[in-house]
Amino acid sequence: MLNSLNLADIRSFVLIAQLGSFTKAALALDVSRSHVSRQISNLESQMKVTLLIRTTRTLKLTEAGKLFYQQCEVALNGIEQAVLVAVDDVEKVQGEIRINCVGGYLGEDVIGQIACDFMKQYPETQVHLDFSSHRVDLLEEDFDIAFRMGQLDDSGFIARKLMTIEMSTLASPEYLKAKGIPSQPKDLNAHQCLTGSVKRWGYKHKVDNRDVEVAIKGHLQCKNGRVLVKGALNHQGIIRVPKVYCVEAIDEGKLVEVFEDWHIPSVAFSAIYHRDRYQPKRLRVFIDFVTAHFQNKLSH
């Protein structure tokens, strides 16, 4: 039976199972929906097993389909890694690197510049840089590396810390003069706050180390840090952002720290990549390139 099965049909089946749709799988493969449908029919005919139950509205794996999918997904990933090992040029740094990163200053200015510098040094590389702010699954969404603030919970990945991010709660002097200065985090509920993806703001008391967490309802909600800073500079409310986003505005007195007795614990900014997945030379070199950039920046 194995000799009669087509690997392309199996790959299409796995993609359908992952995406939950014939149409999405066809788009990903750049073929017609009818072509994908024929592939599955051919696969089921060769195996003499029903793998998918299809109606006009739903698509569901049979029990046999679930077992086949689980085994094939692992096997195809192994084949992909084997191909990468075989074709990776040990002498040249070349090919595409797929990166996901937080947006704002860190993504648009820092990582964006690093990507440009890397391509200048290695002109046979290409970079796909994505600023999706949700926590992407590197495997599911096929990214090689991600840059994130905060702790890494998944043991299947490596987090290489690049720098420590100091967080600040800021507002314009004009806003605080008009609305008053909060004395403790819970007072934020009576203020206009501008929020990104983090809606629970945690604080620690500078003297007795008490921890307080406040649920924030954003007067302005945007997942781009530049927009939050712009809102604060326009006296629209209080922001909680990495200090590095607005050093110049702080130095010029356009934004000031809101709290004297409370602070936000610093967070790590890290490069995150697969622990077990084969890393082509371009990715290994890029990781070292990024690490060297931050080490050089911190030493000055």
Side-chain angles (χ1 to χ4, degrees), residues 11-223:
R11 183 167 178 264
S12 293
F13 165 73
V14 169
L15 201 55
I16 290 167
Q18 289 173 334
L19 300 176
S21 163
F22 275 70
T23 302
K24 289 180 181 178
L27 286 170
L29 293 167
D30 196 23
V31 297
S32 67
R33 189 186 186 284
S34 59
H35 176 78
V36 172
S37 182
R38 284 194 300 272
Q39 285 183 301
I40 301 307
S41 296
N42 183 58
L43 188 60
E44 290 178 324
S45 176
Q46 295 286 347
M47 294 176 64
K48 296 181 172 54
V49 170
T50 300
L51 300 171
L52 294 163
I53 297 173
R54 319 190 265 290
T55 69
T56 53
R57 293 191 176 185
T58 62
L59 177 68
K60 190 167 73 171
L61 292 172
T62 64
E63 287 304 312
K66 289 177 185 176
L67 292 172
F68 188 58
Y69 164 67
Q70 290 165 0
Q71 295 291 325
C72 286
E73 185 183 36
V74 174
L76 285 175
N77 187 55
I79 291 172
E80 181 184 1
Q81 301 308 307
V83 170
L84 286 172
V85 172
V87 302
D88 188 28
D89 191 323
V90 295
E91 298 300 326
K92 282 189 175 182
V93 178
Q94 59 185 357
E96 184 182 57
I97 300 171
R98 292 178 55 81
I99 304 168
N100 180 267
C101 185
V102 293
Y105 170 80
L106 286 170
E108 295 163 22
D109 287 14
V110 178
I111 299 302
Q113 185 61 56
I114 290 173
C116 291
D117 292 342
F118 184 77
M119 289 186 292
K120 284 179 188 175
Q121 186 163 333
Y122 301 100
E124 293 188 46
T125 60
Q126 305 89 45
V127 169
H128 174 98
L129 183 54
D130 179 270
F131 290 135
S132 302
S133 55
H134 65 293
R135 280 197 174 272
V136 298
D137 185 316
L138 293 181
L139 284 171
E140 286 290 327
E141 303 195 37
D142 204 26
F143 287 105
D144 299 303
I145 187 169
F147 293 92
R148 282 286 177 270
M149 289 187 287
Q151 295 297 314
L152 175 69
D153 300 322
D154 194 327
S155 61
F157 299 102
I158 294 171
R160 183 179 290 193
K161 182 180 174 181
L162 301 171
M163 66 183 295
T164 299
I165 301 290
E166 183 181 348
M167 303 295 295
S168 291
T169 308
L170 304 162
S172 69
E174 290 85 349
Y175 171 84
L176 294 175
K177 184 178 180 180
K179 302 291 186 179
I181 302 173
S183 61
Q184 58 179 327
K186 289 184 179 179
D187 292 344
L188 291 171
N189 288 319
H191 280 266
Q192 294 178 183
C193 293
L194 318 180
T195 65
S197 57
V198 177
K199 302 295 174 63
R200 299 189 71 85
W201 293 3
Y203 293 89
K204 186 178 286 288
H205 197 274
K206 292 180 180 178
V207 178
D208 58 24
N209 286 328
R210 274 182 294 139
D211 291 311
V212 171
E213 193 174 79
V214 185
I216 302 295
K217 184 177 180 181
H219 175 69
L220 167 69
Q221 298 183 38
C222 182
K223 293 180 180 179

Side-chain angles (χ1 to χ4, degrees), residues 279-297:
Q279 294 175 3
K281 185 170 183 179
R282 61 182 175 274
L283 181 57
R284 298 195 303 271
V285 173
F286 180 71
I287 292 169
D288 290 341
F289 188 88
V290 170
T291 303
H293 170 90
F294 280 94
Q295 289 175 342
N296 183 58
K297 187 175 180 180

